[in-house]
Every structure is written in structure tokens, then in C-alpha cells.
Amino acid sequence: MTATSGVGEWHYLHSEPTATGRLKTVPEDFKVREDLGFAPCGEGEHILLYIRKRGQNTQWIARELARVAGVTQREVTWAGLKDRHAVTEQWFGVHLPGKAEPDFSSLENGDVQILARARHNKKLKIGALKGNWFELVVNELAVNDPAELEARLIAIQARGVPNYYGDQRFGHNFGNLDQARAMFNGRKIKDRNKRSMYLSAARSYLFNLAASQRLSAGLGEQLMAGDCLMLSGTQSFFTINDDNPLDDALQARFDSGDVRLSAPMWGRGRLPSLEAAAELELAALSEQTDLCEGLENQGLKQERRPLLLKPQEMSWQFNGDRLSLSFWLPAGSYATSVVRELVKEAELHEDISE
């Protein structure tokens, strides 16, 4: 695998699909509803607005909110970026200490509607969401074996898919990786958002490489010595070692979904995996020394990310050459990771569900 491998080259969990189709022929084919996991408290110096947008990106809405409120863009926040090529619903926060609520109605049009608003006592921060609900439509579906596609859907529902970062994380022709390498080699990047984007691209790429290597070895659903296991629904993890041995009790926790396999989010410090698991991860990243060292020098710390992604409350329906899918995913995961295990040649565009 080369340094510019695309998502289509990452290893599959359920084997490469044979069906083909198109996603996002129109924005209504890709609907996202943000799940914050909490409700605004009703008081405070922050105004939270729940906005539905069609064909608009998150940053543009934020700039317009700042303009109407007469504040700097820094005073407008959101929990997660949402796709432009979609119909999405998400919360925005506007910091207005001691000020009355502006009239935001001038923002509304056929593509932008304010669905709810409320006061809150805390800033809405990046990552402060539980997950997202998705309703997707795959058009022009061409299936050689309908029974195989149905079985694949059932397998995805039961076992999940690789938790890969999508192609858009890396930029056009993997340009964000090129920028990351240039930054690591001394190029000054003054724009803080761009710096963050390039760091994220490098880290995400290394995760995908390690995850793909694990899957290609046939070990995507099998525990091994030295594995790092994440507690389901949290960022906490522990390593299989003498204190946490690979015994029947741990295997039962893994089988029940209480703990999950993970792959590295590279950074400074000792790789927390050990023995055979560490050897596999280090081998996968052996040709990416520049990215690994660059992330370490930027001060990022070793973290973990679940190896597999399991859609929740997943359902589907066929209607001629259309496949409708709905499911819930935790924050930071990609709906297109689900779709890529179902169909090839889908028009994925952007897919940001963070």
C-alpha cells in the first residue's frame, strides 16, 4: 500500500462488495440529525440554535450567525462538522453575555431553517455530541445476487464495519497529507484550522493503515496477546497483559461487546499495545516514520480508536433500484464506512459526521 492509498484500498471486513450504486444524487439522499446527548438547560449567556441546512456547510452557517449577532466568528461554535452535500440538522452556539437574543430569522430560506433555540450555561464545544442519526438512499443499485446483499446487510448489522476515516479527511489527491509532511519539515502554517486539519489527516491515515493491516491479517475480530481493548462507549482502554489476562472472562466481555479492539491514534509516548499486537501495529506503520515523528514533535499523545464500527438501530428497505438505510453512529465516525462495505462506485463526496 502506497503513501497515497485511498479508502477504496483499505481492507474490507465483509470482502469487497459486488453491488454498485450511487449515493448523494441529491442532498435529500443523505440526511443527518445530530444527537447531542443532552438538552439545553434554558438559561445562561449562550444561545443554542438547532438548524436544518440543505447544501450548506457548517462554517458558512457559523459565519452568518456571527454576522447577524454582531459578534466575531470565535463566538459561534458547533459540536461537529456536517456534510455540505446533504440535508443536516445540528446545533450551533452563540456567546452573547448580557445581550438580548438577536433576530436570526433573516437567515432562514428554502435551504436554512431554525428548528429550535434555547439558552444554555456552557459553551458548545467541538466533540460535545453523542452521535448522529443517518437516513441514506443508494440510487441506481445494481445487484448480481440479491440474497448476498441481504446477507451482507445482516452481517454489517451484527458485526459492524471497519472504523476507517473517509477519503475527505485527507483532502483532494491526499493533499492534506502532503501539507502535513511539509509542515513537519518546517513549513510555517499560520492558520490554526489548517494546522489542525493537517495533523488530523496524518493521524487518521496512520490509523487507517494500522486497522487495514489488522483486518488483512484476518485478526479484525480476534483477540491476541498485547491487544488494547476499549470500554464500549468510552475513550478508556486497557492492555491485555499479566494483570488483564486473555482468559474466558475477558473473551466473554469481548463477545458481548463490553470491550472492543482498537488501533493506534499516533502520538508521543509509548505505544500501549504489547507483544504480538504491538508488532503488527508497528509493522503496519514502519514506512511512515515521517508522519509518526511529526505527530510526536507536535505534542500529540498516544490514544486509541475502536477498530470496528457497529451501526445502531440499523434498518433497510429495497424499492426497485433504490436502497434506503437508516442507523445511528457515535460521534467521529463515518456513514460512508458503512456504505463502502455494501456497494462499490458510490458517489460519496464529503461525509463528516463529527
Side-chain angles (χ1 to χ4, degrees):
M1 189 172 291
T2 68
T4 54
S5 298
V7 165
E9 298 182 56
W10 309 124
H11 197 83
Y12 291 94
L13 177 63
H14 304 282
S15 75
E16 186 173 356
T18 59
T20 62
R22 294 188 63 203
L23 185 64
K24 302 184 183 178
T25 54
V26 294
E28 285 74 15
D29 287 346
F30 199 99
K31 296 180 180 179
V32 187
R33 289 183 292 115
E34 191 171 73
D35 178 9
L36 278 184
F38 66 89
C41 68
E43 60 182 15
E45 57 188 33
H46 300 269
I47 296 175
L48 301 191
L49 300 103
Y50 190 52
I51 295 178
R52 178 189 292 138
K53 62 183 183 64
R54 179 187 187 276
Q56 304 291 345
N57 64 34
T58 298
Q59 294 96 329
W60 184 85
I61 296 292
R63 288 195 296 270
E64 289 298 291
L65 287 171
R67 179 183 61 80
V68 171
V71 298
T72 66
Q73 293 184 29
R74 186 175 299 179
E75 304 305 313
V76 180
T77 57
W78 57 85
L81 292 173
K82 295 293 179 288
D83 197 344
R84 176 181 178 181
H85 303 284
V87 176
T88 68
E89 297 177 8
Q90 71 174 116
W91 287 94
F92 291 83
V94 183
H95 190 206
L96 291 169
K99 299 180 182 179
E101 179 177 342
D103 181 7
F104 290 107
S105 61
S106 62
L107 294 177
E108 297 190 278
N109 53 49
D111 293 328
V112 179
Q113 296 89 43
I114 299 173
L115 304 180
R117 67 191 76 193
R119 288 274 179 176
H120 195 54
N121 58 2
K122 294 181 180 179
K123 177 182 178 180
L124 185 61
K125 296 182 179 180
I126 292 289
L129 74 161
K130 185 177 181 181
N132 295 281
W133 292 96
F134 294 90
E135 296 179 27
L136 313 182
V137 177
V138 179
N139 288 286
E140 300 176 24
L141 185 66
V143 183
N144 295 325
D145 185 352
E148 189 276 337
L149 182 57
E150 182 75 23
R152 186 179 288 265
L153 282 158
I154 293 171
I156 289 172
Q157 184 182 49
R159 297 163 54 198
V161 300
N163 196 18
Y164 294 135
Y165 288 97
D167 249 357
Q168 65 280 6
R169 176 67 67 122
F170 311 118
H172 182 64
N173 290 330
F174 278 62
N176 288 347
L177 281 182
D178 296 334
Q179 294 291 341
R181 288 190 167 94
M183 182 171 68
F184 296 158
N185 286 329
R187 179 183 294 175
K188 301 296 183 181
I189 307 294
K190 295 182 180 180
D191 189 311
R192 183 170 54 183
N193 291 330
K194 288 185 177 180
R195 283 177 51 84
S196 176
M197 180 169 60
Y198 301 152
L199 289 172
S200 179
R203 208 178 195 197
S204 301
Y205 180 72
L206 296 179
F207 171 87
N208 279 14
L209 277 176
S212 182
Q213 180 67 23
R214 176 89 186 214
L215 292 166
S216 67
L219 298 169
E221 300 172 284
Q222 179 180 329
L223 297 181
M224 60 191 298
D227 267 328
C228 286
L229 301 182
M230 299 189 73
L231 300 176
S232 184
T234 76
Q235 296 300 309
S236 299
F237 64 86
F238 63 90
T239 304
I240 296 178
N241 54 25
D242 292 341
D243 295 328
N244 300 290
L246 178 51
D247 54 17
D248 290 344
L250 184 58
Q251 184 66 51
R253 291 182 67 188
F254 177 68
D255 293 340
S256 70
D258 180 47
V259 294
R260 300 185 293 171
L261 284 169
S262 68
M265 296 290 288
W266 199 266
R268 182 180 296 173
R270 182 181 63 83
L271 186 67
S273 56
L274 300 171
E275 300 181 47
E279 291 176 7
L280 188 64
E281 292 173 357
L282 291 172
L285 306 183
S286 62
E287 297 181 5
Q288 308 298 326
T289 304
D290 57 341
L291 295 182
C292 291
E293 292 182 351
L295 291 167
E296 294 169 18
N297 292 336
Q298 292 291 324
L300 279 74
K301 298 179 180 180
Q302 286 280 348
E303 296 177 327
R304 306 294 292 188
R305 175 178 169 92
L307 181 73
L308 300 180
L309 168 67
K310 190 174 181 180
Q312 302 296 310
E313 299 192 37
M314 180 175 170
S315 64
W316 59 88
Q317 183 176 4
F318 293 98
N319 184 8
D321 67 348
R322 290 164 55 91
L323 168 62
S324 298
L325 285 166
S326 63
F327 48 83
W328 181 92
L329 296 179
S333 50
Y334 289 73
T336 46
S337 294
V338 178
V339 177
R340 76 178 289 271
E341 291 273 334
L342 284 171
V343 297
K344 294 188 297 183
E345 302 176 8
E347 298 293 336
L348 301 183
H349 298 290
E350 299 174 9
D351 164 27
I352 305 171
S353 56
E354 300 182 305

